[in-house]
């Protein structure tokens, strides 16, 4: 099996800011192609995220090494998914965006070899997928108001908070969208004290849950927020891989899986099952990524309670077409083999 990759430019419609950073409207992503000995190609995307230690340059730096591991561990057999993914993880440790691109490409390739979409290979029912939220990033109040108006067709909004003017933001959202389901994501932006003080305000605005109120490593803080709050608490930054779920049991109500954090489609499945074993709910999120990356996550959506897969919907230029979210937040699957993605 051969591995090639290409760096692509992405542009978001708006600057995308969250509590812990400002993001410019331009960014790069990595398109990975794995070709088997019969010439069948599988594709995956590496949405590198600096918070998790990766950039497009680190991805580009490790992929040639991963190509060698794929060659040795795969021995020409793309179906040896467990063996190959274990070897990739052993070779580079974290680097989850680089690894998930290879994982997605292998699942795409296996689906194409068998002539079935990945969701069907896993025995899943697209009708079970919940609707996706659409995210409103932090900005000047009137810019946020414009974003909410542009998102009129989406029934669920996810609001980024963690600013000194969170109450003002929520008030504006409720003026514009009195009936919509609202999720709130603080992206580690609050202290435990602030979270406990602010969550009753979120309740008044009819928010459904709060994501990552406090710092990534602050599990005691997360637990305390949950004990002092009626709103369910979701761990995102605090939950990267399946082994994190056990540490979060009893600490939060729900974990947010992202492929670019966990490093493989199979690890994402393990997180779902670990969370279920602890009676926890499961959310599936994304980075800013093209339809190629989103399509891999879409395959898993029938297994989760909350979906936040608007990464490609935030883009002004999407190089790919395939599974994703519709303008009403419903999930779009297709019957094409593998991930069902084509180049625009
Ligand atoms: Mg989040």
């Amino acid at each position: 099996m051969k591995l090639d990759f290409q760096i692509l430019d992405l542009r978001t419609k708006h600057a995308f800011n969250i509590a812990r950073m400002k993001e410019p409207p331009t960014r790069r992503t990595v398109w990975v192609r794995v070709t088997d000995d019969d010439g069948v190609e599988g594709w995956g995307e590496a949405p590198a995220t600096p918070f998790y230690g990766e950039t497009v340059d680190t991805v580009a730096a490790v992929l040639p090494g991963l190509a060698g591991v794929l060659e040795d561990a795969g021995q020409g057999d793309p179906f040896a998914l467990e063996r190959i993914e274990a070897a990739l993880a052993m070779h580079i440790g974290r680097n989850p965006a680089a690894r998930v691109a290879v994982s997605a490409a292998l699942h795409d390739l296996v689906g194409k070899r068998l002539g079935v979409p990945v969701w069907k290979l896993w025995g899943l029912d697209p009708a079970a997928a919940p609707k996706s939220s659409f995210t409103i990033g932090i900005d000047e109040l009137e810019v946020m108001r414009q974003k909410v108006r542009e998102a009129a067709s989406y029934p669920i909004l996810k609001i980024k908070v963690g600013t000194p003017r969170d109450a003002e933001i929520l008030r504006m959202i409720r003026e514009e969208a009195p009936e919509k389901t609202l999720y709130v994501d603080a992206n580690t932006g609050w202290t435990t004290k602030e979270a406990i003080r602010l969550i009753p305000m979120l309740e008044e605005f009819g928010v459904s849950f709060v994501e990552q109120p406090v710092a990534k490593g602050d599990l005691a803080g997360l637990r305390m927020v949950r004990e002092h709050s009626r709103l369910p608490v979701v761990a995102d930054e605090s939950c990267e891989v399946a082994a994190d779920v056990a540490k979060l049991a009893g600490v939060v109500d729900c974990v947010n899986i992202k492929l670019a954090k966990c490093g493989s489609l199979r690890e994402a499945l393990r997180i779902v099952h670990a969370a279920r074993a602890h009676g926890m709910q499961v959310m599936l999120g994304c980075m800013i990524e093209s339809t190629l990356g989103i399509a891999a996550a879409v395959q898993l959506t029938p297994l989760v309670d909350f979906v936040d897969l608007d990464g490609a919907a935030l883009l002004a230029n999407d190089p790919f077409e395939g599974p994703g979210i519709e303008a009403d937040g419903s999930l779009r699957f297709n019957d094409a083999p593998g991930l069902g993605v084509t180049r625009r």
Side-chain angles (χ1 to χ4, degrees):
M1 283 183 285
K2 189 165 70 72
L3 186 152
D4 303 293
F5 67 94
Q6 189 178 330
I7 294 171
L8 302 176
D9 291 316
L10 300 180
R11 267 176 298 112
T12 54
K13 291 174 190 158
H14 296 279
F16 189 77
N17 304 322
I18 63 174
R20 56 179 163 69
M21 62 179 172
K22 278 195 185 317
E23 297 235 44
T26 55
R27 61 188 63 219
R28 296 180 301 159
T29 194
V30 186
W31 173 24
V32 170
R33 289 186 303 264
V34 173
T35 310
D36 73 8
D37 299 344
D38 299 325
V40 181
E41 267 188 29
W43 296 355
E45 179 173 358
T49 307
F51 184 74
Y52 298 103
E54 291 180 284
T55 63
V56 163
D57 299 320
T58 67
V59 170
V62 299
L63 281 172
L66 296 189
V69 175
L70 183 64
E71 194 77 40
D72 294 344
Q75 295 172 9
D77 179 10
F79 289 85
L81 293 163
E82 280 292 335
R83 188 172 71 223
I84 297 170
E85 289 197 352
L88 295 174
M90 188 82 94
H91 178 72
I92 53 170
R94 292 293 298 140
N95 298 77
R99 282 189 292 120
V100 84
V102 181
S103 169
L106 286 168
H107 283 79
D108 189 33
L109 178 49
V110 161
K112 285 173 177 163
R113 293 289 303 239
L114 297 173
V116 291
V118 172
W119 58 265
K120 192 170 267 188
L121 192 60
W122 288 340
L124 302 180
D125 175 9
K131 279 194 175 184
S132 175
S133 50
F134 184 85
T135 303
I136 307 294
I138 294 171
D139 216 312
E140 295 304 322
L141 194 70
E142 290 312 307
V143 177
M144 291 183 80
R145 187 189 300 276
Q146 196 49 42
K147 290 181 187 179
V148 174
R149 290 182 181 171
E150 284 173 26
S153 63
Y154 293 94
I156 310 171
L157 297 181
K158 184 165 116 170
I159 315 300
K160 296 290 194 181
V161 296
T163 74
R165 40 196 185 89
D166 291 341
E168 201 187 340
I169 290 171
L170 266 297
R171 197 169 308 115
M172 177 279 291
I173 303 281
R174 273 306 182 215
E175 277 165 27
E176 295 294 324
E179 305 296 335
K180 290 190 185 190
T181 299
L182 296 184
Y183 306 158
V184 156
D185 189 354
N187 287 106
T188 73
W190 292 328
T191 62
T192 302
K193 254 189 176 165
E194 283 171 330
I196 292 170
R197 181 168 56 78
L198 288 165
I199 285 173
M201 179 272 289
L202 302 181
E203 278 180 55
E204 277 179 40
F205 285 108
V207 167
S208 303
F209 61 70
V210 57
E211 205 180 313
Q212 199 69 41
V214 302
K216 175 180 158 155
D218 188 6
L219 301 196
L222 276 176
R223 184 192 292 273
M224 196 177 291
V225 171
R226 183 180 184 231
E227 281 168 2
H228 288 81
S229 153
R230 281 190 296 259
L231 283 191
V233 177
V234 181
D236 177 1
E237 283 85 343
S238 300
C239 183
E240 295 181 14
V241 295
D244 294 325
V245 175
K247 299 175 211 157
L248 290 162
V251 172
V252 294
D253 302 279
C254 178
V255 291
N256 187 352
I257 301 172
K258 289 178 187 161
L259 293 177
K261 288 188 297 181
C262 73
S264 99
L265 274 62
R266 307 175 76 72
E267 183 69 5
L269 289 170
R270 287 189 284 270
I271 298 176
V272 172
H273 300 310
R276 296 303 184 201
H278 287 99
M280 295 159 83
Q281 289 192 293
V282 181
M283 179 171 183
L284 182 65
C286 61
M287 304 301 178
I288 306 275
E289 46 195 295
S290 79
T291 286
L292 178 55
I294 297 298
V298 167
Q299 313 295 322
L300 290 156
T301 53
L303 288 171
V304 306
D305 305 292
F306 308 106
V307 171
D308 180 33
L309 290 181
D310 60 356
L314 297 166
L315 294 179
N317 71 321
D318 187 345
F320 299 97
E321 273 179 313
I325 66 170
E326 302 285 9
D328 68 349
S330 58
L331 273 288
R332 179 178 62 249
F333 289 77
N334 66 28
D335 286 315
L339 300 178
V341 176
T342 54
R343 186 82 206 261
R344 238 180 244 277

